[in-house]
Amino acid sequence: TVEVRGTLTGVTEPITLNGTGASGVGALRNVANNNTWSGAITLGSTGVRINSDSGTLTLTGGVSGTGDPNLTIGGAGTVTVSTTALNLGAGTLTKDGAGTLNLNVASTMGSLAVSSGTARVGSTGSISGDATLSGATAVLRLDNASAMQAGATLTLPASPTASGVNLAFTGTDTINALYFGTTSKAQGTWGATTSTAQHKNAAFTGTGLLQVSSNPSGGATTTALSLIADACAGSAS
């Protein structure tokens, strides 16, 4: 584990991180106060952990690795990725712990998994992959209407936590599909109970809308066609 403490700024040296660090506290660990690591971070293995126990650890030199590495960011403090891109290829970015992850850059990943704490895609950030929330304390905050991409799927728990998704922007973010558990939800706009969305749900808060462009399971449309077919079959007999 490389531990960062005090008030560290201007560190431009690149660093390669492997594994989860001593006792799983992170290969790079912010112990206290607000610190900045501006050197490039290379993930030398898959399954790397970065933690901030207290205060904010700001990463401005970029985070990337060969292949499709998986990265976990956790702790009770804050980790902010800004200035230079985070690139995991098709790997998974996992957010756990009680703290906050701020993504203020275009971030490439196969998926974002939030099990606890807050993952915030800032006003200048975006994620290229799908997003999944699990656990009662998991929050996804989207600060701009391009935070999620048009081909992405957002999956919430089967019984979503109230205000688990904060649509903290003005306008509409278009995604491909929305699931509650394994159930795909209807096409159209989704938003808070106080919004102008076609589909209002307490899982959402904020002023923005999510435009869901597909319903993979067919939903009500499939049911309606089935009823028509049954009626025709009954008439023929």
Side-chain angles (χ1 to χ4, degrees):
T1 296
V2 175
E3 290 190 348
V4 182
R5 61 181 74 223
T7 51
L8 182 69
T9 59
V11 179
T12 59
E13 288 83 359
I15 186 172
T16 298
L17 303 178
N18 294 282
T20 61
S23 303
V25 297
L28 179 62
R29 179 190 188 192
N30 189 62
V31 178
N33 300 313
N34 299 329
N35 296 288
T36 299
W37 192 285
S38 55
I41 295 176
T42 299
L43 306 178
S45 64
T46 191
V48 174
R49 173 179 282 278
I50 296 174
N51 263 27
S52 180
D53 294 358
S54 176
T56 298
L57 174 63
T58 301
L59 309 176
T60 63
V63 181
S64 63
T66 57
D68 303 311
N70 298 322
L71 172 65
T72 298
I73 294 180
T78 298
V79 175
T80 296
V81 182
S82 62
T83 308
T84 307
L86 180 149
N87 185 357
L88 303 181
T92 298
L93 175 60
T94 298
K95 167 67 186 75
D96 63 12
T100 297
L101 166 63
N102 294 315
L103 296 173
N104 294 335
V105 289
S107 302
T108 302
M109 64 194 71
S111 60
L112 170 65
V114 187
S115 61
S116 58
T118 298
R120 179 177 182 177
V121 184
S123 60
T124 56
S126 63
I127 55 176
S128 62
D130 299 334
T132 299
L133 271 65
S134 60
T137 62
V139 174
L140 175 64
R141 173 172 170 149
L142 307 178
D143 282 2
N144 73 84
S146 300
M148 292 189 70
Q149 304 303 300
T153 294
L154 174 60
T155 301
L156 308 183
S159 298
T161 303
S163 303
V165 179
N166 187 350
L167 305 176
F169 56 84
T170 300
T172 303
D173 190 349
T174 298
I175 63 173
N176 180 52
L178 172 66
Y179 281 82
F180 286 4
T182 58
T183 303
S184 65
K185 309 306 288 185
Q187 293 169 265
T189 54
W190 286 77
T193 55
T194 55
S195 72
T196 59
Q198 294 169 269
H199 310 289
K200 306 181 198 313
N201 193 282
F204 301 96
T205 188
T207 58
L209 300 175
L210 278 184
Q211 174 69 47
V212 178
S213 59
S214 73
N215 181 4
S217 70
T221 302
T222 301
T223 302
L225 291 174
S226 175
L227 291 172
I228 294 170
D230 289 345
C232 291
S235 298
S237 63

